[in-house]
Amino acid sequence: MTHLAPEVVGTSGTAHSRSGTGTPDAGAVPSSSAARRPWTSRRRVLAVAEGVVSLTAALGYMLLSRRVDVNPIVRLGQVSGLATLQTYAALIGLPLLGLLLYTAHRGAARRHQLVKRMVCAALAGLATGVIAGGIVVALHGTPHPLGGQEGDPGVLIDMANSFLHHEGMSGIYPPAFPALMALWAKVRYNGRGETGFALHDLQIFFTAVAGPMAYLAWRLLLRPFWALLIAVPAAVLFLDPIRPYSHIVMIVLLPLLGYWLREMRLAGRRGTRHLMVRGLVLGVTFGALFLWYSGWYVWAAPGALVAALFFFPWRQGAATVKKAALYIGVTLLSAGVVGAPLLYQMARLGADNPDRYAFLAVYADPGYVLGWVSDRSGTLTYQTWPVAGEMAGQSGFALLLLFGVGLGLGLGMRNIMVRTAAAVLAGAWLARFWFAGHMAQDKAVQLYPRTTWIIMYCLMILAVLGMMAAVNRGSGWIERTFRPSGSASASGSGSGSVPGAGLARVVPQRVVRQLAAGMVCVVALFATMGASWSVNRYMPSSDVDSMGIDAYRAHVIKERDGSCPRFSPRATCWDIEKDDWKPGPIQNFIWCAGIVADDWPAVCGMEAPKRVRSRADIERDAEADRLARKQAAHKEQDAQKR
């Protein structure tokens, strides 16, 4: 599991496929020597160093952001905080990028490769470190988490309280994160009543480490630049700081699944002990991720099953089949043992827990999978979102992404991760429309809009791997086509040399290093801009339809001593709730969130429940708010005159 592949997917050592994209069939894999490689070998030391550098960058930046002292409730304070975060990122990132560019132009190739590995690892950590730092700024002055005690954070707090009371698991929700909340509250905050404080800490911590986890997972399969090119956009785009644990599972699950399938494909070239250890470690990892957040397994399962049947070495002899079956058995057994508590709850209670909560993504075109809107949709409606693009409703970004996917499917099908991502994409696509197609009849949403994330993730993976395949094949074609005649034989005359290597290369290796370094700089620039975009969405706002309401609610709950937080906009704050989790009533209709009572018949096919507001209620509340603001302004003017 610590092997961070120096080559692309499916290769081992320096073995390459004819296409340059990497494939399990590209030569023998010397597993016996790899299995005996000591932990002090250079490859393993560098692997550990990458992990340490990435985590240090993420957590170090998060701690540095605590120095930002602004009022996060005021917009000018928010802007100053965002600017300070970007300043810190520049002060850390620019020297790293300068070193990378210097070694690309002046340094030796070996030294540059080492620098590139460490710089890519650091940038992956900084990308989500900036987001975590932004959450630190948004929650500056309050110990409470994003969301306060409302919605999903409130449910997590109640679940953690139940764990502290030894009441066991809360329904079929994955128990690992609430259990960790309870443990941290007991260790750090002396137990019940402070589980919200624990959620505050864990939201920031897991937001910070999302980038390193994504990067290290992809480094099992890809070189540093390509791993960074997938990990950073995925972490920045999909990360939801209010529930960072859920999307970490999705981002990490797919490369681990590709790695598992690759090992199964190569069972004939692996030793039995090697396969059992790999299967055990991966099984425990899959089981732990399942307890962490199980939803992505539902969407990935159909494609993963088809991919496993396709990659199984059926025709490689009885001995290979037995070893592959042993590998699968060890993985499933260890994963089942670890995930047994949640599997039992699902078997016992799953049928009694339908998902009947609808929001904007449920009302929109189900064929749109290139954007996400949560239940904090602001002024958007299903008539205005998604915005139609120029080409049959598709935007320029969509067309470019699909072009990259075409490259992946056309040039990289020998790449095992391309086939894995394609299989998961197809399975999630079919599951999405199956649940959506039965929604009106079954009166259950079943979380099908969340397939948007995993489908878009698979599209991004295919596009990046398509670019990689195009670069590898294109460089090979250039070398074969434009190499001067006779240079190959002259350069390959030495013993053990590679034909066409060295001085005979049409595109010098130094040029390739310089271009790669420039592209790393571009990824770093995207990471800083994307992280700032992500953070800005969570800056406190009293608008209940914006994502900023989650940070705002954290500032209107009392602290432990009964006082309001430092920057609270209210004179009177809410009390800290100390409830345990209890299952809510199961309704027999879909709850249409974000729809006013007047529109329920047209959207939901039924009259709205009494607690749903109408347009008249909204206008009356808005008018009362305007009058209250006007009276407060008059009182302030009178006070100033006196």
Side-chain angles (χ1 to χ4, degrees):
M1 293 296 292
T2 59
H3 170 59
L4 300 186
E7 306 300 331
V8 293
V9 178
T11 66
S12 178
T14 57
H16 292 271
S17 66
R18 183 165 57 91
S19 65
T21 59
T23 171
D25 302 322
V29 180
S31 61
S32 59
S33 61
R36 292 193 298 268
R37 185 180 296 115
W39 282 99
T40 55
S41 67
R42 185 176 185 274
R43 175 178 293 180
R44 296 188 186 279
V45 169
L46 290 177
V48 173
E50 279 189 88
V52 171
V53 167
S54 191
L55 289 171
T56 300
L59 298 177
Y61 186 94
M62 180 264 291
L63 294 174
L64 180 63
S65 65
R66 298 175 64 183
R67 297 175 57 87
V68 180
D69 187 10
V70 296
N71 183 351
I73 299 297
V74 179
R75 182 56 187 170
L76 292 182
Q78 297 171 8
V79 173
S80 294
L82 292 171
T84 305
L85 292 174
Q86 291 295 307
T87 301
Y88 290 166
L91 292 175
I92 297 173
L94 288 178
L96 295 176
L97 297 177
L99 178 62
L100 177 68
L101 291 171
Y102 176 81
T103 57
H105 286 77
R106 299 289 184 182
R110 190 179 185 88
R111 181 173 61 183
H112 172 71
Q113 293 301 325
L114 176 61
V115 169
K116 185 169 69 172
R117 290 181 69 162
M118 299 308 157
V119 169
C120 287
L123 291 177
L126 282 175
T128 49
V130 174
I131 300 177
I135 302 305
V136 170
V137 173
L139 298 179
H140 181 50
T142 177
H144 297 285
L146 287 175
Q149 301 172 143
E150 305 293 321
D152 289 347
V155 175
L156 290 171
I157 291 172
D158 293 346
M159 288 180 176
N161 287 334
S162 296
F163 271 106
L164 286 173
H165 281 169
H166 308 287
E167 294 184 1
M169 293 177 56
S170 304
I172 62 171
Y173 196 83
F177 189 78
L180 181 61
M181 285 175 56
L183 177 62
W184 184 244
K186 188 172 184 179
V187 172
R188 178 69 174 83
Y189 298 106
N190 301 319
R192 187 171 182 267
E194 285 75 29
T195 49
F197 300 169
L199 179 58
H200 170 279
D201 297 345
L202 296 180
Q203 282 177 340
I204 295 171
F205 175 81
F206 284 106
T207 296
V209 301
M213 292 182 67
Y215 174 77
L216 294 175
W218 279 107
R219 282 291 284 126
L220 290 169
L221 299 169
L222 301 175
R223 291 179 178 180
F225 170 73
W226 299 111
L228 185 73
L229 193 56
I230 294 179
V232 166
V236 171
L237 179 61
F238 298 124
L239 187 60
D240 185 6
I242 197 171
R243 291 176 299 271
Y245 57 93
S246 65
H247 290 80
I248 289 177
V249 173
M250 182 193 75
I251 295 171
V252 170
L253 179 62
L254 263 68
L256 288 181
L257 181 61
Y259 182 82
W260 181 80
L261 290 171
R262 187 187 72 175
E263 292 297 301
M264 182 187 68
R265 183 72 168 174
L266 298 173
R269 306 173 190 176
R270 305 298 198 196
T272 302
R273 181 175 177 274
H274 173 97
L275 287 173
M276 291 186 65
V277 171
R278 285 290 195 275
L280 177 63
V281 173
L282 285 167
V284 171
T285 303
F286 286 138
L289 291 175
F290 182 73
L291 292 179
W292 202 242
Y293 193 79
S294 58
W296 309 115
Y297 286 76
V298 176
W299 316 122
L305 178 60
V306 172
L309 293 174
F310 180 79
F311 291 132
F312 191 85
W314 301 100
R315 300 181 180 180
Q316 296 184 22
T320 300
V321 169
K322 289 180 181 179
K323 289 200 294 184
L326 176 65
Y327 173 69
I328 295 174
V330 170
T331 303
L332 293 178
L333 179 61
S334 55
V337 170
V338 174
L342 183 55
L343 290 172
Y344 172 74
Q345 288 288 89
M346 287 181 168
R348 187 170 68 93
L349 303 172
D352 298 328
N353 287 268
D355 170 43
R356 304 193 193 278
Y357 183 77
F359 53 100
L360 178 56
V362 178
Y363 318 133
D365 175 16
Y368 181 72
V369 294
L370 296 180
W372 172 261
V373 172
S374 69
D375 51 355
R376 311 269 193 253
S377 54
T379 59
L380 296 175
T381 67
Y382 65 90
Q383 290 97 347
T384 60
W385 183 86
V387 178
E390 304 85 358
M391 185 70 172
Q394 307 307 308
S395 65
F397 164 74
L399 297 178
L400 286 174
L401 181 66
L402 294 177
F403 176 74
V405 173
L407 291 178
L409 296 176
L411 301 178
M413 281 303 289
R414 297 182 67 183
N415 184 318
I416 199 168
M417 194 61 221
V418 169
R419 288 180 280 180
T420 301
V424 172
L425 169 62
W429 187 271
L430 292 175
R432 174 186 182 88
F433 290 106
W434 168 265
F435 287 116
H438 289 75
M439 176 175 58
Q441 178 181 355
D442 297 342
K443 297 181 180 180
V445 178
Q446 299 306 96
L447 298 177
Y448 89 81
R450 298 195 180 190
T451 55
T452 300
W453 282 315
I454 196 167
I455 289 173
M456 189 172 182
Y457 188 35
C458 289
L459 292 173
M460 292 169 58
I461 293 170
L462 290 172
V464 172
L465 295 182
M467 293 169 56
M468 187 178 72
V471 168
N472 290 338
R473 286 203 179 192
S475 61
W477 179 83
I478 290 174
E479 293 298 328
R480 291 191 303 270
T481 304
F482 297 101
R483 183 182 301 125
S485 59
S487 61
S489 60
S491 61
S493 59
S495 176
S497 61
V498 179
L503 297 177
R505 289 187 60 88
V506 175
V507 181
Q509 285 289 350
R510 181 175 295 276
V511 174
V512 176
R513 294 199 302 268
Q514 294 168 358
L515 178 61
M519 297 307 296
V520 170
C521 294
V522 171
V523 176
L525 182 59
F526 166 81
T528 56
M529 294 190 299
S532 187
W533 161 82
S534 180
V535 167
N536 185 56
R537 299 178 299 163
Y538 288 94
M539 286 299 168
S541 171
S542 59
D543 183 2
V544 296
D545 291 325
S546 71
M547 298 178 73
I549 189 62
D550 291 316
Y552 182 87
R553 286 170 173 166
H555 288 274
V556 296
I557 305 173
K558 293 178 180 178
E559 298 199 42
R560 184 182 291 177
D561 60 1
S563 63
C564 286
R566 175 183 173 187
F567 299 108
S568 176
R570 296 185 180 182
T572 303
C573 295
W574 300 333
D575 293 328
I576 297 177
E577 298 178 0
K578 302 181 179 181
D579 300 328
D580 291 338
W581 181 84
K582 292 179 177 58
I586 299 176
Q587 58 197 23
N588 60 356
F589 62 92
I590 292 179
W591 180 268
C592 293
I595 301 297
V596 296
D598 312 71
D599 294 338
W600 267 64
V603 177
C604 310
M606 59 176 290
E607 294 294 330
K610 293 182 179 180
R611 59 184 183 274
V612 179
R613 296 193 303 169
S614 66
R615 289 191 180 89
D617 297 328
I618 296 174
E619 292 174 357
R620 183 177 62 251
D621 293 344
E623 181 63 25
D625 183 65
R626 285 193 295 270
L627 289 175
R629 291 176 182 271
K630 188 175 182 179
Q631 292 174 358
H634 285 319
K635 288 181 180 179
E636 185 177 357
Q637 292 176 358
D638 293 340
Q640 290 176 352
K641 290 179 180 179
R642 295 194 191 97

